[in-house]
Short mmCIF file of all heavy atoms in Angstrom, two decimals:
data_model
loop_
_atom_site.label_atom_id
_atom_site.label_comp_id
_atom_site.label_asym_id
_atom_site.label_seq_id
_atom_site.Cartn_x
_atom_site.Cartn_y
_atom_site.Cartn_z
N GLY I 311 4.79 -39.39 16.96
CA GLY I 311 4.51 -38.85 18.24
C GLY I 311 5.55 -37.70 18.48
O GLY I 311 6.58 -37.67 17.77
N GLY I 312 5.29 -36.91 19.44
CA GLY I 312 6.26 -35.84 19.86
C GLY I 312 5.40 -34.81 20.59
O GLY I 312 4.78 -35.21 21.65
N GLU I 313 5.16 -33.67 20.24
CA GLU I 313 4.38 -32.62 20.84
C GLU I 313 3.48 -32.00 19.93
O GLU I 313 3.97 -31.38 18.83
CB GLU I 313 5.32 -31.58 21.51
CG GLU I 313 4.58 -30.51 22.25
CD GLU I 313 3.65 -30.97 23.19
OE1 GLU I 313 3.99 -31.79 24.08
OE2 GLU I 313 2.46 -30.49 23.18
N SER I 314 2.15 -32.36 19.91
CA SER I 314 1.35 -31.87 18.85
C SER I 314 1.20 -30.43 18.66
O SER I 314 1.06 -30.02 17.53
CB SER I 314 -0.16 -32.36 19.12
OG SER I 314 -0.56 -32.03 20.32
N CYS I 345 0.19 -41.13 18.84
CA CYS I 345 0.33 -40.12 20.01
C CYS I 345 0.01 -38.64 19.48
O CYS I 345 -1.05 -38.39 19.29
CB CYS I 345 1.60 -40.44 20.67
SG CYS I 345 1.49 -39.80 22.42
N ALA I 346 1.01 -37.90 19.50
CA ALA I 346 0.79 -36.46 18.91
C ALA I 346 0.26 -36.58 17.52
O ALA I 346 -0.74 -35.70 17.31
CB ALA I 346 2.12 -35.65 18.91
N ILE I 349 -3.59 -36.98 17.87
CA ILE I 349 -4.18 -35.59 18.24
C ILE I 349 -4.35 -34.77 17.09
O ILE I 349 -5.47 -34.32 16.76
CB ILE I 349 -3.36 -34.88 19.35
CG1 ILE I 349 -3.16 -35.77 20.66
CG2 ILE I 349 -3.93 -33.56 19.49
CD1 ILE I 349 -2.14 -35.24 21.59
N ARG I 375 -6.09 -34.71 25.16
CA ARG I 375 -4.72 -34.66 25.30
C ARG I 375 -4.35 -34.98 26.62
O ARG I 375 -4.85 -34.73 27.68
CB ARG I 375 -4.29 -33.20 24.93
CG ARG I 375 -4.42 -33.04 23.44
CD ARG I 375 -3.83 -31.61 23.17
NE ARG I 375 -2.31 -31.51 23.43
CZ ARG I 375 -1.68 -30.48 23.79
NH1 ARG I 375 -2.11 -29.38 23.77
NH2 ARG I 375 -0.39 -30.57 23.86
N ASN I 376 -3.12 -35.53 26.86
CA ASN I 376 -2.40 -35.68 28.17
C ASN I 376 -3.39 -36.41 29.06
O ASN I 376 -3.47 -36.01 30.25
CB ASN I 376 -1.97 -34.48 28.76
CG ASN I 376 -0.96 -33.76 27.92
OD1 ASN I 376 -0.22 -34.36 27.07
ND2 ASN I 376 -0.98 -32.40 27.81
N ILE I 414 3.33 -42.13 26.52
CA ILE I 414 4.04 -41.01 26.99
C ILE I 414 3.19 -39.80 26.97
O ILE I 414 2.84 -39.30 25.96
CB ILE I 414 5.35 -40.75 26.20
CG1 ILE I 414 6.15 -42.05 26.27
CG2 ILE I 414 6.16 -39.56 26.86
CD1 ILE I 414 7.41 -41.91 25.32
N ARG I 415 2.69 -39.35 28.02
CA ARG I 415 1.75 -38.36 28.01
C ARG I 415 0.74 -38.38 26.98
O ARG I 415 0.45 -37.48 26.17
CB ARG I 415 2.47 -36.81 27.91
CG ARG I 415 3.11 -36.45 29.23
CD ARG I 415 3.91 -35.24 29.02
NE ARG I 415 5.06 -35.35 28.19
CZ ARG I 415 5.19 -34.82 26.89
NH1 ARG I 415 4.35 -34.04 26.49
NH2 ARG I 415 6.10 -35.15 26.20
N HIS I 502 3.09 -45.49 21.29
CA HIS I 502 4.21 -45.35 20.37
C HIS I 502 4.85 -46.68 19.87
O HIS I 502 5.84 -47.11 20.48
CB HIS I 502 5.38 -44.54 21.06
CG HIS I 502 5.14 -43.22 21.40
ND1 HIS I 502 5.60 -42.08 20.53
CD2 HIS I 502 4.57 -42.54 22.46
CE1 HIS I 502 5.27 -41.02 21.12
NE2 HIS I 502 4.64 -41.31 22.37
N1 LIG L 618 0.54 -35.11 24.78
C1 LIG L 618 1.38 -34.83 23.66
C2 LIG L 618 0.78 -33.62 22.85
O1 LIG L 618 -0.11 -33.04 23.30
C3 LIG L 618 1.60 -36.01 23.00
C4 LIG L 618 2.68 -36.86 23.54
C5 LIG L 618 3.45 -37.70 22.67
O2 LIG L 618 3.29 -37.74 21.46
N2 LIG L 618 4.08 -38.68 23.24
O3 LIG L 618 1.19 -33.61 21.80
#
Side-chain angles (χ1 to χ4, degrees):
E313 177 55 51
S314 56
C345 202
I349 297 171
R375 289 184 61 202
N376 304 327
I414 304 170
R415 284 174 293 110
H502 290 266

